Amino acid sequence: QLLARQKQPRNFWTFEFYQAFFDVDTRQVLERIKGSVMPLPGKNFVRHRLRNNPDLYGPFWICATLVFALAISGNLSHLAEKRTAPAFRYSPHFHNVTIAATLIYCYAWLVPLALWGFLRWRQSRGASTYSFLETVCVYGYSLSAYVPTAWLLLAVAALLSAAVLALTFWPPARADGRATALAVVATITALHALLAVGC
């Protein structure tokens, strides 16, 4: 009876397979968001916040919220720019949602995929690495700083968000050498700066 209750591997096509990625409560999500906007030296986000339970719930909704915040701010910016023109008649630009969604979700999945692949490739030289889910989770939560600052404090958000990423990925990259670690962290920071400029 005890053996029958052990977790069996779930099929990729079943709902139960994906349920594990969203097994998180509100308190955990809020704690992770708080940790993503307050980077502390010596407090690794993966070890101190995820605790071997990365999720996709927070990153998914943070990205969705950011998409709509960017689309709304883009429409408001367009309205503020053109409202003084006598012949201007406002119509919302729904394509801003598509552009923002493409930008944010591609960034939140493709950059972590590339970083995870690079760290896995370099793992043969003794560097430890995080799982792909942990990497996506860190990136998703790091974007939470952009949501309340979509209009005013984008540069501060980019700095805080990049600091969380740099402090988290410095230890596994450092094992491969200081030059490699600096290159990895510089690339992470540069891509984050490009995201901020795009926003």
Side-chain angles (χ1 to χ4, degrees), residues 88-169:
F88 175 69
R89 191 171 152 223
Y90 177 74
S91 65
H93 295 139
F94 292 109
H95 68 278
N96 286 350
V97 176
T98 306
I99 293 168
T102 302
L103 172 74
I104 298 300
Y105 280 103
C106 283
Y107 179 80
W109 282 91
L110 297 180
V111 173
L113 176 64
L115 178 61
W116 174 78
F118 175 77
L119 291 175
R120 290 283 294 188
W121 173 61
R122 301 301 277 187
Q123 191 176 17
S124 61
R125 296 184 174 205
S128 63
T129 189
Y130 303 117
S131 70
F132 176 63
L133 186 58
E134 288 171 333
T135 305
V136 169
C137 189
V138 170
Y139 262 83
Y141 277 105
S142 75
L143 294 177
S144 66
Y146 285 98
V147 174
T149 59
W151 293 293
L152 302 175
L153 301 172
L154 200 56
V156 174
L159 182 64
L160 289 173
S161 188
V164 168
L165 294 172
L167 290 171
T168 300
F169 291 105

